[in-house]
Amino acid sequence: MADEHHHEESKGESLMDKISEKIHGHDSSSSSDSDNDEKLKPKSPSSPSSIKSKIYRLFGREKPVHHVLGGGKPADIFLWRNKKVSAGVLGFATAVWVLFELIEYHLLTLICHGFILALAILFLWSNASTFINKSPPHIPEVHIPEEPVLQVAAALRMEINYAFAILRDIASGRDLKKFLSVIAGLWVLSIVGSWCNFLTLFYIAFVLLHTVPVFYEKYEDKVDAFAEKAAIEIKKQYAVFDAKVLSKIPRGPLKDKKKA
């Protein structure tokens, strides 16, 4: 009897083991099938990654505004990361513009008056220190290091060479669209230059650098959406202009040789 009872228990346990194996096998197969189905399913076009890749950015930028402005301290100043420093730089530029443009102070006169004032104060302080029993002023030795000057000169040389390369490419007649864009930009700049002098123009550009990037960074989604609509409309108008005007302009011998 004990052997029969033990045999029945072993049968029951083996039966339960088989049932559990079947259940687990069915679950694992169903989960693997669902995983395979998910892998085989095409990604929905409304997924966040695809939406993010389709977002239009002004001038086709792919980096944040901080990186576009070069990063580092200049970008921090333009984007008002440190409000005290940015306000101080903008206030100094405003004071210089008011001094030279509104009060009509001259640069050479300002430099000479500044040197006169500084030398007079230091001279009087150095001579009066013996009478008032105080230490004379510490006048540091100023030396311009060679490495930063060479770095600035090298960077300036690269930018000038890049500008010359662009002008040469435009003058070669290979890209009519770029040529017309540069001509329109120079024409607008000449009109703005006739309205104000170089100092005022430089100050306006400086103020725009302190205002436009920070506002664009704050409302970039709205600005990019509006810019996308404007770009589509400009492309439509350019296509009409190209069909009616530019396509009728005879091409130079350079393009004929290339086609041949």
Side-chain angles (χ1 to χ4, degrees):
M1 293 293 290
D3 293 337
E4 289 179 359
H5 182 69
H6 180 69
H7 184 65
E8 288 177 358
E9 286 182 354
S10 63
K11 278 186 178 180
E13 289 177 357
S14 61
L15 182 62
M16 292 298 294
D17 292 338
K18 289 180 180 179
I19 293 172
S20 62
E21 284 178 1
K22 287 183 179 181
I23 292 173
H24 288 300
H26 179 71
D27 292 338
S28 61
S29 62
S30 62
S31 62
S32 62
D33 292 339
S34 62
D35 292 338
N36 293 328
D37 292 339
E38 288 180 357
K39 289 181 181 178
L40 294 174
K41 281 182 181 179
K43 288 186 178 179
S44 175
S46 62
S47 61
S49 60
S50 62
I51 292 174
K52 188 176 180 181
S53 62
K54 291 181 180 180
I55 292 176
Y56 176 86
R57 291 302 180 191
L58 193 62
F59 304 119
R61 68 176 182 87
E62 297 178 356
K63 297 179 180 180
V65 182
H66 190 271
H67 289 279
V68 173
L69 293 175
K73 291 183 179 180
D76 292 339
I77 292 173
F78 293 143
L79 294 175
W80 295 77
R81 295 288 191 263
N82 191 335
K83 294 183 179 180
K84 292 182 180 180
V85 175
S86 299
V89 172
L90 186 59
F92 177 76
T94 304
V96 170
W97 179 75
V98 170
L99 191 65
F100 289 112
E101 186 64 24
L102 299 183
I103 304 178
E104 296 183 354
Y105 213 72
H106 297 286
L107 179 61
L108 184 60
T109 306
L110 177 65
I111 293 173
C112 292
H113 287 177
F115 275 115
I116 289 171
L117 182 62
L119 290 174
I121 292 173
L122 292 174
F123 181 81
L124 294 175
W125 188 1
S126 299
N127 286 279
S129 61
T130 56
F131 298 102
I132 59 178
N133 295 324
K134 286 189 176 182
S135 60
H138 176 68
I139 303 173
E141 295 183 3
V142 179
H143 297 285
I144 299 176
E146 183 180 1
E147 186 176 355
V149 175
L150 294 177
Q151 289 178 356
V152 171
L156 185 62
R157 180 183 65 85
M158 290 177 62
E159 294 297 330
I160 292 174
N161 289 335
Y162 180 68
F164 282 149
I166 292 176
L167 292 175
R168 183 178 180 277
D169 184 60
I170 293 171
S172 63
R174 297 174 183 174
D175 194 343
L176 183 61
K177 184 178 179 181
K178 187 185 292 185
F179 170 76
L180 294 176
S181 301
V182 172
I183 293 298
L186 292 174
W187 180 68
V188 171
L189 189 62
S190 66
I191 294 175
V192 174
S194 64
W195 294 342
C196 54
N197 57 19
F198 179 75
L199 181 62
T200 303
L201 186 62
F202 180 80
Y203 176 69
I204 292 172
F206 195 80
V207 172
L208 290 176
L209 279 174
H210 275 76
T211 53
V212 174
V214 65
F215 280 108
Y216 173 70
E217 188 182 37
K218 189 175 182 180
Y219 303 105
E220 61 178 343
D221 293 334
K222 296 179 180 179
V223 175
D224 288 339
F226 178 78
E228 184 180 9
K229 295 178 181 179
I232 293 172
E233 187 63 27
I234 290 172
K235 287 180 180 179
K236 290 180 181 178
Q237 297 299 326
Y238 179 78
V240 174
F241 180 71
D242 187 20
K244 291 183 178 180
V245 179
L246 298 181
S247 60
K248 298 179 181 179
I249 298 175
R251 302 297 181 183
L254 180 64
K255 290 197 172 183
D256 293 338
K257 289 181 180 179
K258 285 184 177 181
K259 288 180 181 179

